[in-house]
């Protein structure tokens, strides 16, 4: 493809820091660069505790372990999301209760959560789709009233805010992704944010294969051993060094992505109206971190024809998320209601190329040349 959907950004500092990590002679996890990254996140965003993970998937799995999700516990989440949001809880034997999307946004409709809450409900997982915050002032009081935990799947939500508060800091736990398709990336990587001090100590233990190795390295205990369950959730210093090279350029990356996003948004306004295509809405309570530029087509035929039109011009646009409640894995288990909005986004949402080096006018002109 002449214009790919995504191209991982390289700031140029990554290799310098990887070389430095090599010369420091400590390449396994939780070394100098992991700590630099942790400090960046706690200083820049005020997260109480931040732990790098090998993916957002792993951060979500840690969250499910930390909340001590047991077989039969119920967890509420949107159907229109990536599999990992659900898989992390499915692995613990949870019963997943899926919620529909909003009519004017692919994010979960917070008003549909309350009817799903019962005595087995343990947690709500919110997904800040495209970096646009869920309505946390509706969700947190509801969760608190029923003693539920809230996990933010903030995979797409780096550097985005809800009413001035940074995403990933609002629920009990938050999970970010540094997969190569995300704004800030290190190939595969993630971050768990811990906003409730009850989970801090255990999070470090789960992270270090069920051992108290982190406390040992801080000199808090004189030997370390197996103290709990856990796994190898921490990335190597090579990944952390690469990531640090991106974090130093975060504002530049964000500014460039926002510029591309705004350009799409204004240039496609009349075109979208003419073709009965919806542009993304950014509610007043949230910022836009320009993770994604998508449009919502009037039907699946229009989306397929747009994809073909762009492909003929050597431009790759893609769609995503088949509703999880209809997935081959889950559909036989699903006993809830039809989720019409989620299905509509599955059929009609189209994601346009968005990456640092993109010449956005090529894509815009290609779209403007589309004839239905
Ligand atoms: C990308 C993504 C994930 C998974 O992130 P990985 O780092 O690839 O594990 C989870 N949830 C959402 C909403 C995502 O967009």
């Amino acid at each position: 493809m002449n214009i790919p959907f995504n191209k991982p950004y390289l700031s140029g500092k990554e290799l310098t820091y990887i070389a430095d990590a090599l010369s420091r002679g400590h390449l396994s996890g939780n070394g100098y660069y992991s700590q630099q990254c942790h400090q960046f996140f706690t200083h820049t965003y005020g997260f109480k505790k931040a732990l790098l993970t090998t993916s957002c998937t792993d951060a979500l799995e840690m969250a499910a372990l930390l909340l001590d999700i047991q077989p039969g516990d119920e967890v509420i989440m949107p159907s229109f999301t990536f599999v990992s949001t659900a898989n992390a809880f499915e692995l613990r034997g949870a019963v997943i209760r899926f919620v529909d999307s909003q009519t004017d946004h692919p994010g979960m409709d917070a008003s549909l959560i309350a009817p799903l809450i019962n005595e087995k409900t343990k947690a709500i997982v919110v997904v800040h789709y495209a970096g646009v915050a869920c309505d946390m002032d509706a969700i947190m009081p509801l969760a608190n009233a029923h003693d539920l935990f809230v996990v933010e799947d903030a995979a797409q939500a780096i550097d985005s805010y809800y009413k001035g508060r940074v995403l990933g800091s609002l629920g009990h736990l938050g999970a970010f992704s540094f997969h190569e398709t995300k704004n800030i990336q290190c190939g595969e990587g993630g971050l768990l944010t811990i906003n409730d001090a009850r989970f801090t100590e255990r999070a470090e233990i789960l992270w270090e294969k069920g051992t108290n190795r982190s406390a040992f390295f801080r000199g808090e205990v004189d030997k370390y051993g197996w103290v709990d369950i856990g796994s190898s959730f921490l990335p190597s210093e090579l990944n952390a060094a690469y990531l640090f090279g991106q974090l130093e350029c975060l504002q530049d990356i964000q500014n460039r992505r926002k510029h591309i996003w705004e350009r799409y948004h204004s240039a496609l306004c009349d075109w979208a109206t003419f073709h009965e295509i919806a542009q993304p809405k950014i509610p007043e309570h949230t910022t836009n971190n320009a993770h994604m530029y998508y449009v919502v087509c009037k039907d699946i035929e229009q989306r397929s024809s747009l994809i073909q039109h762009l492909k003929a011009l050597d431009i790759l646009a893609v769609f995503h998320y088949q509703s999880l409640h209809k997935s081959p894995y889950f559909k036989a288990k699903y006993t809830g209601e039809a989720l019409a909005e989620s299905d509509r986004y599955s059929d009609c949402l189209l994601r346009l190329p968005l990456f640092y080096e993109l010449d956005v006018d090529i894509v815009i002109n290609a779209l403007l040349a589309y004839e239905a």
Side-chain angles (χ1 to χ4, degrees), residues 54-60 80-85 127-129 153-156 175-182 187-190 291-292 320-321 351:
T54 50
S55 62
C56 179
T57 301
D58 264 358
L60 290 163
F80 191 74
T81 183
F82 189 61
V83 287
S84 297
T85 317
V127 179
H128 302 304
Y129 183 80
D153 180 338
Q156 307 177 2
F176 289 90
S177 174
F178 307 120
H179 183 267
E180 71 168 15
T181 51
K182 304 303 202 275
E188 300 271 2
H291 170 60
M292 195 193 301
H320 71 172
Y321 301 156
R351 304 159 72 199

Side-chain angles (χ1 to χ4, degrees), residues 45-62:
Y45 297 120
F47 299 131
K48 286 206 185 91
K49 178 81 178 172
L51 290 174
L52 287 187
T53 56
T54 50
S55 62
C56 179
T57 301
D58 264 358
L60 290 163
E61 286 179 24
M62 281 185 71

Side-chain angles (χ1 to χ4, degrees), residues 222-243:
D222 58 10
K223 56 179 182 294
Y224 80 88
W226 188 12
V227 295
D228 200 340
I229 57 170
S231 192
S232 185
F233 289 119
L234 69 179
S236 92
E237 277 289 291
L238 298 176
N239 286 56
Y242 185 108
L243 184 67

Side-chain angles (χ1 to χ4, degrees), residues 9 26 51 63 74 86 101 104 106 117 146 164 182 228 247 252 270 320 322 336 372:
Y9 173 70
H26 171 149
L51 290 174
E74 295 193 5
S101 298
D104 61 356
I117 297 175
H146 294 272
K182 304 303 202 275
D228 200 340
L247 292 177
D252 176 46
D270 294 342
H320 71 172
Q322 296 305 297

Side-chain angles (χ1 to χ4, degrees), residues 212-269:
N212 53 353
R213 194 162 172 269
S214 299
F216 172 73
F217 278 119
R218 283 194 300 265
E220 293 166 13
V221 291
D222 58 10
K223 56 179 182 294
Y224 80 88
W226 188 12
V227 295
D228 200 340
I229 57 170
S231 192
S232 185
F233 289 119
L234 69 179
S236 92
E237 277 289 291
L238 298 176
N239 286 56
Y242 185 108
L243 184 67
F244 192 61
Q246 301 248 315
L247 292 177
E248 286 201 333
C249 306
L250 188 139
Q251 277 321 318
D252 176 46
I253 295 171
Q254 293 300 84
N255 291 341
R256 174 81 192 132
R257 293 184 73 100
K258 285 179 197 169
H259 172 78
I260 295 171
W261 198 101
E262 292 296 343
R263 181 88 191 101
Y264 268 136
H265 206 58
S266 55
L268 294 178
C269 190

